[in-house]
Amino acid sequence: MTRAEDPAVHPPPGTAPGGGAHGAPLTWRGTLADRDRRLFEAVARQHWPGAERVLPRLGRAANHGVLWLAGAGALAVFGSPRARRAAARAAASLALASATINTVGKWSVRRPRPLAEVVPAARRPTRFPTTTSFPSGHSASAFAFATGLALEHRGWGAVAVPVAAGVAVSRVYTGVHYPADVLAGAALGVGAALCVRSLARAGERRRAAPGPEQPATDAPALPDGAGLVVVANTGSGVASGPVAGGAGLGAGFGAGFGAGPAEEVRAALAEALPAAEFVACTGEELVAALEEAAGRCRVLGICGGDGSVSAAATIAQRAGLPLAVFPGGTLNHFAADLGLPDAAGVCRAVAAGEAVRVSVGRLTPGPGPDGRPVCFVNTFSLGVYPELVRRRERWAPRIGGGPAALLAAWRVLREERPVSLTVAGRPRSVWLLFAGNGTYYGSGPVPRRRFALDERALDVRLAHGGGRPGPRLLAAAMTGPLTRSPLHTATRRRSLPIADIPPGTLLAYDGEYAAAPTELVVEQLPGALVVYRPYGVDAGPSSAAWADGERPSAAAAGDPQGA
C-alpha cells in the first residue's frame, strides 16, 4: 500500500477522523478536518509566480530556528540597545514556543502529515518530516520571534512579521502542514511571546510602597550630607567615563564623568546634600575605594549594580556603618526588593536619618585570597549558574548581554555535569544549589520578588543531579519555594555548611563569580545592615507580588532549620 492509499495518513474526504464509512455523517471535528484538507488541496493546486523559488527556501532557512537566531545575532551586534533587548526577548519567546511544541504539542494530538503527492514535486522538501503534523513548529517559532520583537521594537517587528507569515505559508505550500496546523502554531507562538513579556515585566516591577522592615533608630541624619561618601562604580549600568577624584560636591568636581546613573546621583547629591563626597572608580578599584571611604565617613554610599552593592554591604557590615544605596546597575534587584526610590528620594532619607534594618547573607570563608567573609544581599549559588555567569560575562562585550546569556545557557546545559559535594552533612550530587537572602515567593521560570528583607532564614533550593539538567532546573524554577520532589528540594535554614567542594568549582553571589573554597558556610545575619530608605514613600509602579495585600507569614514558609 502506498502512502497515498493509507487511510491513516490521508483518509478519504467525508470520513471523520478515527474511522466511519465514507459518506457517513460527519461530527463537528470531522467537518473541520475535512474543510482543512480541502483548503490544503486548494493551496496545493495553486501556482503563484515566484513562490516556487522563494517559499521553499524561506522554509528551509527557518529550520531549527537558524533564520531567527541569525537575525537576533545581527541585532545584538549591530543594533541599538533597544534593538538588542528586543532581540533577546524575541529569542526567549522562540525558545519557549519551541520547548512547548516539542514537549507537549507534537504528542498531544498526533495528527498525520498531509498527502505530499498532491503537491508539485518542485516545491516538496527533499526530506519529508517524520514528526506529527499538529501544530506547526516552524510557524510557532516564526510568530514567537516576530511577536516578541514587535512588542519591544515596532520597527524591527514590522520587518519580521511578514517574514514570519511567509514561513507559515511555506509550510502549507510545500505540503508538510495543513492550514490548521499553521494557525495553531502561530497562535502558540504569539502566546509564548506574550508570556515572556509578562514574565519580564513581572521581574521589572517594584513595590507599590516600602515593605515592613523595621526602622533603624540609630541611623545618623546628615542634613547637608557632611559625613557621607558615595563611591560610584563606573562599570555598572550605562555609567562610563574617566575616573573622577573625590572632592566636595560644592567644589564642582568630576566634570569629565560620563552620563548615566552615576551622573544622576552626582547631580542629586549636589542639589540635596552639597557637603557629601563623591568618588568614581572602575570595577577593579571598587573594593579599595570602598575600604578607603569607610575609614573616614559616617555613612557609606554606593552607586552601582547588585555586585557593587554586595561589596559595599560587606565593608559596611564589617565597619558597622549604615549604607546609602543609589541604584546604578542593570537590574538592581536589591534596590527593587527593598522599595528604594530614585536618587533624590535616597538623599531625602539620608538628610532625615530615615533607615531600616535588613538581613544579609554571609560566606565564610570568602572566595578572596585572604579568605575574609563576604556578604551577599540577594543570592548565592553553586553548580551550573556560576558557569553560566562566567560565560555570559566573557561573551557579553562582543555580542551583547541578552544573546550572551542565551548562548551561555545553551552551552552550559549541553556541557556541564552535576557537582558532587556534602550539604549539611549529607552527600549530594546537584545541578544547582541556591541560597536566597530571604524567601523568594512565586513560581515561574524567572525569580520573583521578596516580600521583605528582614527575614531570619535563607531560602535554600537544590536541583538534584542525574538525567539532563534542563528538565530538573525547569522543575526547580516552576515549583514554589518550599516544595519537595524527586528533582528538587527546597527549605529554609539559618546556616548551611557545604563541604567536599571539588577544586575548580565556581560559586556566584549577586551576579559575581569566583573560585569556591573546598569548604564554606552560608549563613544569614538577621538585621545586620542599616540601609537608608524613606518612611512611607511610594517607591514605584504597582506590584502584584503580595497576595491580597498581606505578607506571608514565616510559618507558612516551613521550618527555618529544616534539612
Side-chain angles (χ1 to χ4, degrees):
M1 179 182 295
T2 67
R3 190 172 184 273
E5 297 169 339
D6 186 355
V9 173
H10 194 67
T15 303
H22 180 58
L26 290 172
T27 65
W28 67 269
R29 291 178 59 188
T31 301
L32 292 177
D34 184 64
R35 291 178 178 176
D36 196 26
R37 284 192 296 271
R38 291 179 184 276
L39 180 58
F40 168 79
E41 292 169 356
V43 174
R45 289 191 295 268
Q46 293 296 321
H47 174 71
W48 296 325
E52 275 79 0
R53 294 178 58 86
V54 175
L55 291 181
R57 293 180 179 180
L58 187 60
R60 288 194 298 270
N63 287 346
H64 308 294
V66 172
L67 174 65
W68 312 116
L69 295 178
L75 289 177
V77 174
F78 302 109
S80 64
R82 183 184 173 194
R84 291 177 181 176
R85 183 175 68 251
R89 296 276 178 88
S93 303
L94 184 152
L96 178 59
S98 179
T100 305
I101 286 286
N102 292 324
T103 57
V104 179
K106 290 292 187 182
W107 305 107
S108 59
V109 178
R110 303 184 67 84
R111 186 185 194 185
R113 294 278 176 173
L115 182 64
E117 283 80 355
V118 301
V119 177
R123 62 184 194 234
R124 294 180 208 161
T126 54
R127 288 188 176 182
F128 202 85
T130 57
T131 57
T132 54
S133 186
F134 185 92
S136 167
H138 279 65
S139 301
S141 297
F143 276 88
F145 185 89
T147 305
L149 199 64
L151 290 173
E152 298 296 326
H153 197 295
R154 291 185 179 180
W156 284 113
V159 174
V161 168
V163 179
V167 170
V169 171
S170 76
R171 306 307 288 169
V172 180
Y173 197 63
T174 56
V176 294
H177 279 292
Y178 292 105
D181 304 338
V182 168
L183 292 176
L188 191 150
V190 172
L194 293 174
C195 181
V196 168
R197 184 182 68 166
S198 176
L199 292 171
R201 287 185 173 181
E204 293 167 355
R205 289 190 190 116
R206 296 192 176 197
R207 287 180 178 170
E213 293 83 9
Q214 294 299 311
T217 58
D218 54 344
L222 308 178
D224 62 354
L228 168 65
V229 179
V230 178
V231 179
N233 181 359
T234 61
S236 294
V238 298
S240 61
V243 177
L249 283 168
F253 71 93
F257 193 78
E263 180 67 11
E264 296 174 3
V265 170
R266 184 175 73 88
L269 290 171
E271 179 179 352
L273 304 172
E277 190 174 337
F278 185 97
V279 178
C281 64
T282 64
E284 291 76 12
E285 302 165 331
L286 179 64
V287 173
L290 287 168
E291 290 178 340
E292 191 275 335
R296 56 186 176 85
C297 70
R298 296 179 64 195
V299 175
L300 182 62
I302 180 66
C303 174
D306 289 310
S308 301
V309 173
S310 176
T314 297
I315 293 170
Q317 193 272 329
R318 288 175 187 167
L321 293 171
L323 188 64
V325 176
F326 298 89
T330 304
L331 299 176
N332 303 311
H333 288 302
F334 176 77
D337 287 346
L338 191 56
L340 292 178
D342 57 13
V346 176
C347 288
R348 290 194 298 270
V350 173
E354 297 178 346
V356 295
R357 287 195 171 273
V358 301
S359 301
V360 295
R362 184 170 68 179
L363 307 178
T364 307
D370 57 4
R372 297 179 69 184
V374 300
C375 295
F376 62 93
V377 295
N378 296 324
T379 62
F380 158 84
S381 62
L382 283 167
V384 297
Y385 182 73
E387 181 61 26
L388 186 151
V389 172
R390 183 186 71 83
R391 298 191 187 213
R392 183 192 66 197
E393 294 299 316
R394 186 177 69 187
W395 295 330
R398 289 176 284 175
I399 64 175
L406 291 173
L407 179 60
W410 180 70
R411 294 288 296 273
V412 164
L413 293 179
R414 286 190 59 189
E415 299 174 5
E416 292 303 305
R417 295 293 178 266
V419 179
S420 297
L421 37 75
T422 301
V423 182
R426 300 180 183 178
R428 300 282 191 182
S429 175
V430 301
W431 285 111
L432 176 68
L433 187 155
F434 166 95
N437 176 36
T439 303
Y440 283 79
Y441 288 88
S443 60
V446 295
R448 296 298 189 187
R449 294 294 184 217
R450 291 166 287 183
F451 296 153
L453 275 77
D454 60 352
E455 294 188 18
R456 305 178 65 87
L458 299 167
D459 177 359
V460 180
R461 311 186 195 186
L462 287 82
H464 299 297
R468 299 294 299 172
R472 292 172 181 266
L473 297 177
L474 183 61
M478 293 301 293
T479 52
L482 293 160
T483 58
R484 293 178 181 270
S485 77
L487 306 181
H488 173 227
T489 299
T491 187
R492 300 173 76 238
R493 293 184 64 97
R494 296 189 180 96
S495 66
L496 184 71
I498 307 173
D500 302 321
I501 303 174
T505 301
L506 295 179
L507 61 79
Y509 60 99
D510 293 338
E512 307 293 326
Y513 69 91
T518 57
E519 296 184 2
L520 62 84
V521 175
V522 187
E523 59 185 329
Q524 191 178 57
L525 306 180
L529 186 65
V530 173
V531 180
Y532 283 91
R533 187 191 69 190
Y535 297 153
V537 176
D538 190 354
S542 63
S543 171
W546 291 23
D548 301 324
E550 297 183 0
R551 173 184 175 183
S553 66
D559 179 10
Q561 203 60 31

